[in-house]
C-alpha cells in the first residue's frame, strides 16, 4: 500500500511528460511550417505577417519550456488552451493585417492565458456564493418566478441568452440555481459549469461533456483529447437537441464567445438552447437577450436571511424579543444588505451561540473581516488601469451619492480618465450608476459601503491614505499622501503640519464650524496639496491662507455657509475645478478670471462684483449656474456645458444661442427661470446644432417647434414649465430623442403620441402632472421604450393599452394613490414587464 502512492505519482508524471512533449512538438511543428512559408512568400505584408506569427509561437514555446515539471503538471489544462491558441495563430488568414482587431484579440487571449498560468492557484472558486449556502434563500421568490417565466423554452430554430449581473456576494449563484432547478427538467440535456480565474477552456469543455454526453460522466479518455477534439464531440452530440446550460461566474465576454463557438449553430437540424449566465461584469454581446441586475436586500429581508441561516446552523427555531430583534436589525445595517456578509455574520453568531454566549451580548458587535476578505478578489482581478479609480473612491463619504462631475474632477486631478473609470467600474458591478444611468446630463454613483471599506483598506496599503478623527489622539503620519479627517462633535484637534510635505489630498468629513477658528498657519504647510475638499462641512469663513496653496487643482466648498470668497484665491493659478455651489448668496470678488487654468466652475445664487468675463477663461469646459445678467461672453472655445439662471422675459437668449452655436463641442444647456417670471420662448435654440442635453426649469408659454430644435438632441428635461398645450406632438418628432423627463411640465388632462413618434425613446419619466387623466399611445409610437416611471399623477387611473405590447419595455415604476395602484395592478397591463414597482 505504501508503494502504491509513489507509483501513481510516477505514472502521472510520465503521463504529464508525454502530454507536454506532444504539445511542444505540435507548436514546434507549426513554427517549422510557418518558416517554410516565409521562404515562399515574396509579398512584404505576407512575409511580415508570417514573421509576427513565428514570433508569437516561439514566445509561447519558450514560456512553456521555462516552467518546471511540477508547474507543467498543475497547468496541463491551461497548456492545452495555449496549444489551441497556437493553432488559432496558424489558422489566421495571411491576408489579415497584424494590426487588425482579430489579431489583437488573439494576442490579448494569449497574454491572458499566460497570466492565468503564472497566477494559477491565486483565484477563488465560485466566489461569494458557496454551495452549502444555496438552501438558504430569502427575498428571491418573486424574482425566481419572473426569471423562470422569462427563461422559456426557445422557439424552433432559436436560442436565448440571459444574464444575472451584480456585485460579488450579492447572490447571483443562488438565484441562478433556483431557476436551474425549476427549468432543467424541461430540456433534453442540461449542465451547470462554475468558472473561476483558474478554470481553463479545456476544463469547461470536459465539464459540459461529463454532464451532457451520455457515457462520459467520468471518462478519463477526455484527458488525452485536445480542445478541438472536445469541441467537435460536444457540437456533434448537441445537434438537434434542446439543451440548457448555466455558466456561473463568467468574468469576460471572451469566455462566452468561446463557449458559443463550441456549440452547434442554433437552428441547425432543430437545435435549440437556453444559456443562463451569472457575472459581475456586463455581458454586452449582441447574443445576450436580457440582463437582470440584482439589488441588495432591504432591512426585512436581511433579517429573514439572518434568521434562516442561524436556525439552520443551530438546528432550532430561534425566537427574539422585540428589543433583541431591534438590536439585531441595528447590527445587520452594517452588512448593507449584502447576502454574503449577512450569512457570514449569521454563521459566526450561531457558532458563538452554540458555545454558550447570549444573544444580548452577540448583538453588541459585528466582525466583517471575513466578508472583506471574500470581497478582495474583486479588487485583485481589476485591470491595472482601473485600480487607482477604485482606490480614490475612499476619499468620498461612506454610502455617499457621488456626483459624476466631482468624480471626474477628483480622478482627473490624479491623472485618470473619467469615462474609462465610470464605465469600467459600472460594468463590473462595483459602482451603481443611477438616475437613468448615462443621460439627463448628470450621472450619480453609489458604492456599497462594504466596498468602500475595502477601498479604504487597500488605499491605506497602496496609496498612502490616512484616516484621522478630529478628537482622536493619533498624530498625522509623515508619509501620508492622502488624508481624510472625520470631524465629530468633539473639539477639533489642530495638528501641526510640519510633516505634511508629501500630502496630496486633504478631505474633511463631518459637520459644524470646526475650521472656523483654525489659524492661518494651519494651512501654510500644505504646499503640495492638490485636492482640498470641505463639502457639506458647515464652513462659515474661509482663511486667506488657502490662497497660498498654489498646487491646488480641486477646491470643493459646496453646501456650506460661506458669505464671501477671499481675494487670495485669485492666486490659485493651477486650479482646474472650483465648486462653491449651494452657498446661498455668496459674494465673489473679481478674481475668477485670474484662475486661467480653470476647467470647471460650479456655483448658484452667487453675487458677482462685476460680470464674469468667460472669454478670458480659455480652458473652461463647464459653468453652472450663473445669472444670465452676470455672464459676459462673446466668444468661448472649450465650453461644453452651461447652466444659466435668473432668466426672464427681458433676457437676451438669442445672442447667447448665437454665441454657443460657434462652439463645436457644446453639448449641454441648463436654463432656470427667475422666480415666478416667465422664460422667453426658445425659438432660436436650433442654431446650437450639436446640443444633446437640454434642461428647462421654469414657467414658459410654449416650446419651439420640432423644426426649430437642435437636430441631434437626445435628452430633454422640463421642470415646472407648466405648459398649457400638450408638448408630446412636438417632442415626438425629435428623431434622436432617447430620454424624456416631464416634472410639473404640463397642466392639461391628456397627452397624445401618434404614428411612429418617439421612435428611439428609451426612458420616459413623468412626475407631478396633477391634472393628467389620460395617456394615449397610437400606432408604433414609443416602440423601443425600455423604462417608464410615473409618480404623483393622482388623476391618471389607466395606462394606454398598447403599452403591454412594447417588447422592449422591461422596467415600470409608478407611485400613486392606493386606489389607483390596485386598479393598475388588476388591469394586467404590466404583467409582461419584468421589473414592476407600483406603490403603495
Amino acid at each position: 500500500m505504501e508503494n502504491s502512492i509513489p507509483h501513481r505519482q510516477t505514472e502521472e508524471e510520465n503521463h504529464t511528460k508525454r502530454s507536454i512533449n506532444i504539445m511542444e512538438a505540435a507548436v514546434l511543428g507549426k513554427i517549422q511550417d510557418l518558416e517554410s512559408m516565409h521562404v515562399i512568400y515574396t509579398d512584404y505584408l505576407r512575409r511580415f505577417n508570417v514573421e509576427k506569427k513565428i514570433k508569437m509561437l516561439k514566445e509561447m514555446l519558450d514560456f512553456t519550456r521555462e516552467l518546471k515539471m511540477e508547474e507543467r503538471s498543475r497547468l496541463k489544462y491551461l497548456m492545452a488552451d495555449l496549444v489551441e491558441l497556437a493553432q488559432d495563430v496558424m489558422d489566421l488568414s495571411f491576408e489579415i493585417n497584424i494590426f487588425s482587431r482579430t489579431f489583437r484579440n488573439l494576442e490579448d487571449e494569449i497574454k491572458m492565458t499566460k497570466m492565468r498560468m503564472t497566477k494559477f492557484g491565486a483565484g477563488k472558486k465560485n466566489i461569494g456564493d458557496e454551495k452549502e449556502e444555496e438552501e438558504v434563500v430569502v427575498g428571491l421568490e418573486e424574482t425566481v418566478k419572473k426569471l423562470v417565466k422569462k427563461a422559456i423554452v426557445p422557439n424552433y430554430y432559436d436560442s436565448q441568452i440571459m444574464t444575472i449581473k451584480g456585485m460579488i456576494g450579492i447572490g447571483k449563484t443562488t438565484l441562478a440555481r433556483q431557476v436551474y432547478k425549476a427549468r432543467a427538467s424541461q430540456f433534453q440535456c442540461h449542465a451547470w459549469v462554475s468558472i473561476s480565474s483558474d478554470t481553463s477552456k479545456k476544463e469547461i469543455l470536459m465539464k459540459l461533456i461529463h454532464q451532457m454526453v451520455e457515457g462520459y460522466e467520468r471518462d478519463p479518455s477526455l484527458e488525452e483529447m485536445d480542445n478541438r477534439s472536445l469541441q467537435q464531440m460536444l457540437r456533434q452530440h448537441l445537434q438537434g437537441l434542446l439543451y440548457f446550460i448555466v455558466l456561473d461566474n463568467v468574468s469576460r465576454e471572451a469566455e462566452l464567445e468561446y463557449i458559443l463557438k463550441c456549440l452547434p449553430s442554433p437552428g441547425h437540424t432543430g437545435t435549440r438552447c437556453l444559456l443562463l449566465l451569472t457575472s459581475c461584469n456586463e455581458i454586452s454581446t449582441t447574443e445576450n437577450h436580457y440582463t437582470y441586475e440584482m439589488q441588495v436586500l432591504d432591512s426585512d429581508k436581511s433579517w429573514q436571511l439572518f434568521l434562516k441561516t442561524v436556525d439552520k446552523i443551530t438546528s432550532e427555531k430561534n425566537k427574539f424579543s422585540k428589543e433583541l430583534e431591534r438590536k439585531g436589525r441595528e447590527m445587520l445595517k452594517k452588512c448593507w444588505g449584502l447576502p454574503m456578509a449577512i450569512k457570514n455574520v449569521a454563521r459566526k453568531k450561531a457558532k458563538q451561540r452554540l458555545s454558550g454566549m447570549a444573544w444580548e451580548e452577540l448583538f453588541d458587535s459585528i466582525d466583517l473581516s471575513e466578508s472583506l476578505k471574500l470581497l478582495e478578489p474583486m479588487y485583485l482581478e481589476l485591470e491595472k488601469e482601473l485600480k487607482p479609480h477604485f482606490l480614490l473612491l475612499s476619499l468620498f463619504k461612506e454610502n455617499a451619492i457621488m456626483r459624476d462631475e466631482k468624480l471626474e474632477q477628483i480622478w482627473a486631478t490624479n491623472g485618470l480618465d473619467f469615462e474609462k473609470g465610470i464605465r469600467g467600474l459600472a460594468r463590473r458591478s462595483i459602482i451603481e450608476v443611477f438616475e437613468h444611468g448615462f443621460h439627463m446630463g448628470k450621472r450619480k454613483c453609489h458604492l456599497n459601503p462594504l466596498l468602500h471599506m475595502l477601498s479604504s483598506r487597500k488605499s491605506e496599503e497602496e496609496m498612502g491614505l490616512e484616516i484621522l478623527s478630529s478628537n482622536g489622539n493619533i498624530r498625522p503620519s509623515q508619509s501620508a499622501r492622502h488624508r481624510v479627517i472625520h470631524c465629530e462633535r468633539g473639539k477639533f484637534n489642530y495638528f501641526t503640519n510640519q510633516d505634511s510635505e508629501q500630502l496630496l489630498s486633504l478631505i474633511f468629513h463631518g459637520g459644524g464650524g470646526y475650521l472656523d477658528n483654525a489659524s492661518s498657519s494651519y494651512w501654510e504647510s500644505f504646499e503640495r496639496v492638490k485636492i482640498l475638499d470641505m463639502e457639506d462641512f458647515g464652513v462659515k469663513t474661509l482663511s486667506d491662507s488657502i490662497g497660498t496653496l498654489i498646487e491646488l487643482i480641486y477646491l470643493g466648498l459646496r453646501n456650506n455657509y460661506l458669505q464671501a470668497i477671499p481675494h487670495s484665491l485669485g492666486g490659485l493659478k493651477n486650479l482646474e475645478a472650483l465648486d462653491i455651489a449651494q452657498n446661498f448668496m455668496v459674494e465673489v470678488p473679481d478674481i475668477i478670471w485670474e484662475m486661467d487654468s480653470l476647467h470647471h466652475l460650479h456655483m448658484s445664487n452667487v453675487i458677482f462684483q462685476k460680470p464674469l468675463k468667460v472669454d478670458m477663461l480659455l480652458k473652461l469646459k463647464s459653468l453652472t449656474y450663473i445669472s444670465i445678467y452676470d455672464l459676459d461672453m462673446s466668444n468661448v472655445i472649450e465650453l461644453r456645458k452651461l447652466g444659466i439662471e435668473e432668466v426672464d422675459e427681458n433676457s437676451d437668449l438669442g445672442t447667447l444661442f448665437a454665441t454657443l452655436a460657434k462652439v463645436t463641442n457644446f453639448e449641454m444647456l441648463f436654463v432656470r427661470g427667475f422666480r415666478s417670471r416667465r422664460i422667453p420662448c426658445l425659438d432660436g435654440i436650433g442654431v446650437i446644432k450639436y446640443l444633446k442635453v437640454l434642461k428647462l426649469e421654469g414657467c414658459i408659454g410654449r416650446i419651439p417647434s420640432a423644426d426649430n430644435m437642435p437636430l441631434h438632441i437626445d435628452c430633454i428635461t422640463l421642470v415646472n414649465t407648466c405648459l398649457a398645450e400638450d408638448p408630446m406632438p412636438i417632442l415626438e418628432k425629435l428623431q434622436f430623442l432617447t430620454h424624456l423627463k416631464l416634472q410639473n411640465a404640463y397642466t392639461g388632462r391628456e397627452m397624445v403620441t401618434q404614428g411612429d413618434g418617439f421612435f428611439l425613446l428609451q426612458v420616459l419619466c413623468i412626475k407631478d402632472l396633477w391634472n393628467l387623466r389620460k395617456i394615449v399611445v397610437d400606432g408604433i409610437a414609443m416602440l423601443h421604450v425600455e423604462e417608464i416611471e410615473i409618480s404623483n399623477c393622482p388623476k391618471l387611473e389607466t395606462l394606454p393599452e398598447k403599452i403591454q405590447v412594447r417588447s422592449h419595455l422591461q422596467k415600470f415604476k409608478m407611485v400613486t394613490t392606493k386606489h389607483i395602484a390596485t386598479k393598475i395592478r388588476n388591469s394586467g397591463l404590466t404583467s409582461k414587464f419584468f421589473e414592476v414597482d407600483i406603490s403603495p
Side-chain angles (χ1 to χ4, degrees):
M1 185 69 182
E2 293 177 357
N3 295 328
S4 62
I5 295 177
H7 174 73
R8 285 200 302 270
Q9 289 176 340
T10 303
E11 188 177 327
E12 186 174 333
E13 287 176 3
N14 290 333
H15 170 72
T16 301
K17 286 180 181 179
R18 288 195 304 272
S19 300
I20 291 169
N21 290 335
I22 293 172
M23 292 176 187
E24 289 187 355
V27 176
L28 192 58
K30 292 174 177 58
I31 293 174
Q32 292 171 348
D33 291 342
L34 284 170
E35 287 176 336
S36 63
M37 292 179 185
H38 185 258
V39 176
I40 299 172
Y41 288 133
T42 57
D43 177 74
Y44 170 76
L45 182 59
R46 288 193 176 188
R47 286 176 65 88
F48 190 51
N49 197 321
V50 170
E51 288 171 3
K52 178 70 173 177
K53 290 183 177 184
I54 291 172
K55 184 174 181 293
M56 290 171 65
L57 291 173
K58 284 184 175 180
E59 287 176 354
M60 294 166 70
L61 191 61
D62 291 341
F63 176 80
T64 58
R65 284 174 171 172
E66 288 173 4
L67 297 172
K68 298 176 183 179
M69 182 56 64
E70 178 187 346
E71 293 174 321
R72 294 181 178 191
S73 179
R74 289 190 302 117
L75 302 173
K76 59 183 179 181
Y77 294 129
L78 286 169
M79 290 187 71
D81 289 359
L82 210 55
V83 171
E84 183 184 11
L85 289 169
Q87 184 62 54
D88 290 340
V89 172
M90 282 290 294
D91 290 346
L92 274 181
S93 169
F94 288 102
E95 279 70 35
I96 292 180
N97 191 292
I98 62 167
F99 302 108
S100 69
R101 182 177 178 183
T102 305
F103 221 117
R104 290 200 307 270
N105 288 348
L106 186 52
E107 283 188 302
D108 291 342
E109 197 64 28
I110 292 171
K111 289 177 184 177
M112 178 66 68
T113 304
K114 286 181 178 179
M115 184 182 72
R116 292 170 75 187
M117 294 174 78
T118 304
K119 296 183 177 181
F120 184 81
K124 294 285 186 181
K125 301 282 184 178
N126 303 323
I127 296 169
D129 296 306
E130 302 297 336
K131 288 185 178 180
E132 61 266 21
E133 299 175 6
E134 288 164 8
E135 295 303 318
V136 183
V137 181
V138 167
L140 297 178
E141 294 80 8
E142 289 301 315
T143 305
V144 169
K145 288 179 183 177
K146 291 175 181 178
L147 273 177
V148 167
K149 186 177 180 181
K150 197 163 187 69
I152 57 175
V153 177
N155 295 325
Y156 194 61
Y157 296 147
D158 200 4
S159 66
Q160 181 172 331
I161 302 176
M162 296 169 53
T163 302
I164 299 173
K165 178 179 179 286
M167 69 174 283
I168 185 172
I170 203 167
K172 300 181 295 296
T173 302
T174 302
L175 176 57
R177 197 167 290 281
Q178 299 303 307
V179 177
Y180 184 65
K181 288 178 180 178
R183 270 282 180 248
S185 62
Q186 300 178 13
F187 293 79
Q188 291 171 286
C189 56
H190 47 82
W192 177 289
V193 178
S194 296
I195 303 172
S196 76
S197 58
D198 288 343
T199 307
S200 67
K201 295 173 182 175
K202 181 168 184 175
E203 286 178 282
I204 294 174
L205 289 169
M206 290 170 60
K207 288 179 181 180
L208 288 171
I209 292 171
H210 282 155
Q211 297 178 66
M212 302 177 78
V213 182
E214 190 175 350
Y216 283 89
E217 290 81 358
R218 287 286 181 262
D219 194 317
S221 66
L222 299 180
E223 298 271 353
E224 306 287 341
M225 298 173 67
D226 61 28
N227 288 18
R228 294 198 171 184
S229 299
L230 293 171
Q231 289 177 28
Q232 186 176 5
M233 175 189 287
L234 181 63
R235 198 179 294 117
Q236 287 178 346
H237 176 76
L238 294 179
Q239 283 180 2
L241 296 181
L242 174 65
Y243 60 93
F244 180 18
I245 297 175
V246 176
L247 300 176
D248 184 29
N249 196 29
V250 176
S251 60
R252 300 178 300 127
E253 288 181 6
E255 289 175 339
L256 173 61
E257 290 170 2
Y258 181 81
I259 299 300
L260 291 174
K261 187 176 72 172
C262 300
L263 301 175
S265 300
H268 183 73
T269 63
T271 303
R272 293 178 289 161
C273 69
L274 172 65
L275 265 64
L276 177 61
L277 321 174
T278 73
S279 182
C280 292
N281 300 329
E282 181 179 327
I283 306 296
S284 56
T285 178
T286 53
E287 288 89 354
N288 188 34
H289 294 86
Y290 178 73
T291 297
Y292 174 69
E293 295 203 27
M294 295 195 70
Q295 303 296 319
V296 295
L297 302 179
D298 60 24
S299 176
D300 289 338
K301 290 173 182 174
S302 295
W303 179 245
Q304 292 171 29
L305 181 58
F306 176 82
L307 289 180
K308 275 195 171 185
T309 307
V310 166
D311 291 348
K312 184 179 179 182
I313 294 173
T314 59
S315 300
E316 65 175 344
K317 188 76 173 177
N318 290 274
K319 294 183 179 180
F320 299 93
S321 65
K322 287 185 178 181
E323 178 58 23
L324 269 180
E325 180 177 332
R326 185 194 64 77
K327 285 187 68 176
R329 285 174 176 265
E330 193 67 26
M331 175 194 70
L332 286 181
K333 284 183 180 179
K334 296 178 181 178
C335 293
W336 298 100
L338 190 66
M340 178 184 70
I342 296 167
K343 292 177 182 179
N344 283 334
V345 169
R347 284 197 301 267
K348 183 169 287 188
K349 298 297 181 185
K351 291 175 182 177
Q352 290 174 322
R353 174 63 178 167
L354 290 173
S355 69
M357 293 181 69
W359 284 115
E360 290 87 347
E361 182 181 356
L362 291 172
F363 285 160
D364 285 337
S365 62
I366 189 171
D367 180 6
L368 295 171
S369 57
E370 182 64 25
S371 298
L372 292 178
K373 187 176 180 180
L374 289 170
L375 288 172
E376 193 167 337
M378 176 281 302
Y379 173 72
L380 297 176
E381 293 170 10
L382 265 182
E383 292 89 335
K384 184 179 179 180
E385 60 268 24
L386 281 179
K387 287 184 176 180
H389 291 87
F390 177 71
L391 294 177
L392 285 167
L393 296 178
S394 61
L395 301 183
F396 291 81
K397 292 180 181 178
E398 178 186 82
N399 204 33
I401 302 299
M402 299 174 285
R403 301 184 310 280
D404 65 342
E405 68 265 19
K406 184 172 182 178
L407 256 181
E408 178 179 8
Q409 290 143 26
I410 294 293
W411 282 341
T413 301
N414 289 272
L416 303 178
D417 182 82
F418 171 66
E419 287 299 330
K420 182 179 290 184
I422 195 170
R423 292 185 183 275
L425 296 181
R427 284 176 63 89
R428 288 155 184 79
S429 304
I430 294 172
I431 59 172
E432 178 187 11
V433 181
F434 61 101
E435 293 230 340
H436 301 307
F438 297 85
H439 86 290
M440 302 297 185
K442 289 188 177 182
R443 286 168 280 189
K444 293 184 179 180
C445 307
H446 178 253
L447 179 71
N448 186 284
L450 289 178
L451 290 179
H452 185 272
M453 289 175 64
L454 180 65
S455 174
S456 298
R457 287 194 180 187
K458 289 298 176 183
S459 296
E460 289 174 343
E461 296 171 7
E462 302 179 20
M463 198 178 69
L465 174 68
E466 178 180 62
I467 301 175
L468 301 176
S469 175
S470 63
N471 57 1
N473 295 319
I474 302 175
R475 300 193 64 79
S477 166
Q478 296 182 24
S479 60
R481 285 180 287 132
H482 306 271
R483 181 177 297 157
V484 174
I485 301 177
H486 291 277
C487 293
E488 301 171 7
R489 294 191 176 185
K491 185 178 179 181
F492 187 86
N493 187 357
Y494 298 102
F495 300 109
T496 176
N497 297 317
Q498 59 185 0
D499 297 325
S500 298
E501 295 179 356
Q502 305 298 317
L503 204 63
L504 301 176
S505 305
L506 181 60
I507 316 292
F508 291 89
H509 294 326
Y514 297 104
L515 290 173
D516 291 341
N517 299 321
S519 64
S520 59
S521 62
Y522 176 73
W523 303 103
E524 290 174 355
S525 298
F526 295 123
E527 294 97 346
R528 297 185 61 194
V529 168
K530 298 180 183 297
I531 297 174
L532 175 59
D533 187 25
M534 293 182 276
E535 182 173 340
D536 301 327
F537 200 63
V539 178
K540 295 179 181 177
T541 58
L542 208 58
S543 172
D544 283 332
S545 299
I546 292 179
T548 64
L549 307 183
I550 58 174
E551 296 296 322
L552 269 187
I553 296 177
Y554 178 88
L555 178 56
L557 302 168
R558 177 180 289 249
N559 196 27
N560 283 292
Y561 303 106
L562 293 173
Q563 297 179 342
I565 299 298
H567 283 77
S568 64
L569 264 60
L572 300 178
K573 300 297 184 181
N574 292 311
L575 196 68
E576 295 182 5
L578 174 61
D579 189 347
I580 55 174
Q582 298 178 28
N583 286 275
F584 185 68
M585 304 305 288
V586 60
E587 188 172 339
V588 179
D590 189 26
I591 59 167
I592 300 295
W593 61 271
E594 299 177 27
M595 303 175 183
D596 47 17
S597 295
L598 207 60
H599 288 62
H600 309 281
L601 178 57
H602 307 292
M603 51 191 178
S604 58
N605 295 314
V606 169
I607 301 173
F608 276 96
Q609 294 177 351
K610 295 180 180 179
L612 179 63
K613 297 180 179 180
V614 181
D615 297 6
M616 303 184 71
L617 299 171
L618 300 179
K619 298 180 181 179
L620 195 66
K621 296 180 180 178
S622 60
L623 171 59
T624 58
Y625 276 88
I626 183 171
S627 169
I628 192 170
Y629 297 106
D630 286 331
L631 188 62
D632 184 354
M633 180 174 70
S634 58
N635 183 38
V636 286
I637 301 173
E638 295 290 335
L639 197 66
R640 297 178 184 175
K641 178 166 65 175
L642 175 64
I644 54 174
E645 56 189 3
E646 297 187 357
V647 178
D648 59 18
E649 299 95 327
N650 300 317
S651 303
D652 184 7
L653 291 180
T655 301
L656 176 64
F657 294 159
T659 301
L660 295 176
K662 301 174 185 178
V663 186
T664 306
N665 295 322
F666 188 76
E667 295 181 340
M668 303 179 188
L669 178 63
F670 308 142
V671 180
R672 284 180 181 170
F674 183 69
R675 297 180 183 173
S676 59
R677 299 179 187 176
R678 282 201 168 195
I679 297 174
C681 295
L682 310 178
D683 288 330
I685 198 171
V687 299
I688 313 177
K689 294 182 180 179
Y690 300 104
L691 186 69
K692 291 185 177 181
V693 178
L694 173 64
K695 182 176 181 180
L696 185 59
E697 189 173 352
C699 188
I700 189 170
R702 60 177 176 81
I703 57 175
S705 66
D707 293 336
N708 290 323
M709 293 283 271
L711 177 63
H712 298 283
I713 198 161
D714 58 24
C715 300
I716 291 182
T717 302
L718 303 181
V719 180
N720 298 329
T721 51
C722 302
L723 293 164
E725 293 186 14
D726 180 7
M728 302 307 247
I730 293 176
L731 298 175
E732 71 180 9
K733 296 175 184 176
L734 301 176
Q735 54 186 308
F736 294 104
L737 195 66
T738 59
H739 295 79
L740 175 62
K741 180 177 179 179
L742 304 174
Q743 182 173 354
N744 192 25
Y746 170 53
T747 59
R749 296 186 174 191
E750 184 175 273
M751 291 199 308
V752 180
T753 304
Q754 298 177 322
D756 61 353
F758 293 117
F759 190 73
L760 294 182
L761 192 70
Q762 298 173 14
V763 178
L764 174 63
C765 181
I766 300 173
K767 293 185 175 183
D768 306 334
L769 301 190
W770 307 105
N771 297 324
L772 187 65
R773 286 171 166 79
K774 188 176 183 181
I775 298 176
V776 178
V777 178
D778 286 335
I780 57 171
M782 298 189 188
L783 185 63
H784 295 100
V785 69
E786 297 174 2
E787 300 179 34
I788 293 180
E789 180 179 349
I790 302 173
S791 61
N792 298 328
C793 300
K795 296 180 181 178
L796 182 65
E797 299 190 11
T798 60
L799 299 175
E801 289 188 6
K802 288 197 175 183
I803 196 174
Q804 64 178 327
V805 297
R806 297 297 181 255
S807 59
H808 293 273
L809 186 56
Q810 299 292 341
K811 298 180 181 179
F812 179 84
K813 181 177 180 180
M814 188 171 189
V815 179
T816 183
T817 64
K818 188 174 182 180
H819 165 72
I820 296 176
T822 302
K823 189 174 180 179
I824 296 294
R825 287 192 197 96
N826 294 338
S827 70
L829 292 174
T830 61
S831 60
K832 293 184 178 180
F833 308 152
F834 187 78
E835 296 181 44
V836 177
D837 181 6
I838 302 175
S839 58

